[in-house]
Amino acid sequence: MTDHHLPQFHVRLPRGYLNDPNGPIDIGGRAHLYFQSRPLVDLEIPVEWGHATSEDLVHWSLHRPAIVPVPGGADSGGAWSGNTVLHDDVVRAYYSGKVDHSPFQSVLLAESSDGGTSFGPPVQVVADPAADEGITMFRDPFVWQDEDGWSMVVGAAAANQTAAVRHYRSADGVTWASAGDLVAMTRATVEGIDTGAGWECPQILTVDGTDVALMASWSHEDGPGEVIAVPLTGTLHPDRVDHGQHFYAPSVMRTGSWGAVLFGWVTEGRPLEATAQAGWSGAVSLPRRVWLTDGRLASAPHPAVESLRAGTSRPGHGATIGAQVEIVLPTPVTGVVRLRFSEAEYLDVRVDLEADTLTVDRSRASGDARADTSPAVVRAPFGPRTELPAVRVFV
């Protein structure tokens, strides 16, 4: 029986569990994307780095995993999140390695001499936090090169509820020294955003000449929260990167043939029992371009994916696509766009100019009791870029 929930245009596994995207990189005009993966929907299996490549950000080919945990090694409990960089024709992967007895995920470096297809054994390149630092979570390195050498950031949480992006510097990308916190914030609620007791999956992106930190807010008691962006100039002000409930673990390609590109982990919003029954979970979001508007980060599907709607692209593996529609609201106007799936099932996209909100109301979208029916509410949804439509709905 066909599973009509299976995404056809997103990077995903044919079966098993996929979560965080990792280390997208342009190598000679070819995009390499790595991601957390398990061959089965079993969260006890240590994660490995799945691998996909594309010539256009649209058509992706899956490959065998690029990093597999080594029994008894520094990543025996899982090869977790990180990123990749190119250094003298060698692809370096910096990632978090977990071992079961350690309170932290250690920062590891593994290298590939075959163009990013496979990586050698990892070595630890940054010391775990000392006991007297009061750090309760430490993971997910992100590395980039600048004029003066190499920078690394690592996400952290402290016992006093302070989330931080720790900063390290290196001349060679191997030996690292602490440079303090790049940004830190005591847990608070800002315009409805819980900034988190810790930040994981930190990414540093330069947008319109401004450095912006992207982090996934997190806490020990609540787990994953929201993806937030903080420009690293002026007053620290966190903003949501995505107003939905199922976009997490940001991963950016800082530079390359397609400019700066943002990916995220997309979940189905269904309980684990339903996921296990389906035999698969998770996908990588469509690639996004980003820009700043009024000092805040905005994003939209990358122009490369427009070819999917031009009638020239076809999904792979013999897949067939059913009904499709795009609804465009050129200018803001109060009203409701209703997408009806059956007599009892429909989804409302509601614009309220007086309240200055856009709401995706899912309360009647599915007759399945396991479906997530919570709404997504966007406040002050309409930006100043007049060349963009007020609302675009894709089905």
Side-chain angles (χ1 to χ4, degrees):
M1 183 173 65
T2 300
D3 184 348
H4 68 276
H5 287 119
L6 273 172
Q8 301 297 337
F9 298 121
H10 295 66
V11 174
R12 63 167 176 84
L13 298 173
R15 61 185 177 276
Y17 192 92
L18 178 152
N19 51 300
D20 304 11
N22 294 144
I25 187 173
D26 180 352
I27 303 176
R30 190 183 195 200
H32 291 248
L33 176 64
Y34 304 94
F35 47 86
Q36 304 290 289
S37 68
R38 295 176 171 95
L40 300 173
V41 182
D42 180 354
L43 301 188
E44 296 301 315
I45 297 175
V47 292
E48 54 196 19
W49 270 33
H51 181 207
T53 58
S54 175
E55 307 290 341
D56 58 6
L57 298 184
V58 176
H59 302 86
W60 294 88
S61 298
L62 286 175
H63 305 282
R64 65 181 59 190
I67 299 177
V68 177
V70 178
D75 59 4
S76 59
W80 291 84
S81 291
N83 81 317
T84 60
V85 298
L86 193 60
H87 179 69
D88 293 337
D89 296 324
V90 172
V91 182
R92 288 176 167 175
Y94 297 87
Y95 65 98
S96 287
K98 185 178 186 299
V99 292
D100 291 336
H101 65 271
S102 174
F104 301 113
Q105 295 178 17
S106 299
V107 176
L108 307 181
L109 165 62
E111 295 187 332
S112 169
S113 57
D114 60 8
T117 298
S118 62
F119 290 81
V123 294
Q124 184 171 351
V125 291
V126 173
D128 293 342
D132 61 1
E133 294 183 74
I135 298 300
T136 60
M137 179 271 281
F138 179 75
R139 56 176 174 254
D140 307 339
F142 178 83
V143 173
W144 73 100
Q145 188 175 23
D146 55 31
E147 301 82 10
D148 302 320
W150 297 87
S151 274
M152 174 193 292
V153 290
V154 183
N160 64 357
Q161 298 278 294
T162 295
V165 173
R166 293 191 143 196
H167 188 202
Y168 300 84
R169 293 286 299 169
S170 174
D172 58 7
V174 177
T175 303
W176 295 86
S178 174
D181 289 340
L182 189 65
V183 58
M185 183 178 297
T186 301
R187 189 175 190 177
T189 300
V190 180
E191 296 183 6
I193 303 170
D194 178 358
T195 61
W199 288 333
E200 56 182 354
C201 302
Q203 312 281 296
I204 306 299
L205 193 57
T206 302
V207 184
D208 302 336
T210 298
D211 287 336
V212 180
L214 281 69
M215 300 85 73
S217 67
W218 178 90
S219 68
H220 290 281
E221 61 272 24
D222 300 321
E226 300 186 74
V227 179
I228 60 177
V230 178
L232 299 179
T233 56
T235 303
L236 296 181
H237 188 286
D239 284 302
R240 288 183 178 89
V241 171
D242 190 287
H243 289 263
Q245 296 96 325
H246 305 293
F247 178 93
Y248 196 70
S251 186
V252 301
M253 183 188 300
R254 280 177 55 90
T255 59
S257 305
W258 305 274
V261 184
L262 168 66
F263 296 91
W265 169 30
V266 178
T267 62
E268 295 78 52
R270 60 187 178 186
L272 189 58
E273 312 85 73
T275 294
Q277 183 179 8
W280 67 274
S281 178
V284 178
S285 73
L286 292 179
R288 300 184 183 187
R289 63 185 177 94
V290 295
W291 67 93
L292 291 177
T293 178
D294 292 337
R296 298 185 172 189
L297 192 75
S299 68
H302 194 282
V305 302
E306 291 179 7
S307 66
L308 288 170
R309 293 161 42 240
T312 58
S313 295
R314 296 288 183 269
H317 310 295
T320 57
I321 302 301
Q324 302 173 70
V325 66
E326 177 185 356
I327 301 169
V328 177
L329 185 66
T331 57
V333 58
T334 295
V336 177
V337 174
R338 174 164 292 178
L339 304 174
R340 184 177 288 281
F341 313 119
S342 70
E343 190 62 33
E345 297 172 308
Y346 54 85
L347 179 142
D348 287 343
V349 180
R350 184 177 298 107
V351 177
D352 187 333
L353 293 185
E354 184 175 351
D356 199 17
T357 59
L358 182 149
T359 302
V360 179
D361 182 353
R362 303 188 293 179
S363 60
R364 300 289 298 275
S366 176
D368 190 330
R370 300 170 301 180
D372 184 352
T373 59
S374 56
V377 180
V378 186
R379 306 189 185 282
F382 303 114
R385 292 189 58 163
T386 56
E387 77 274 17
L388 296 176
V391 178
R392 298 169 78 195
V393 180
F394 296 93
V395 179

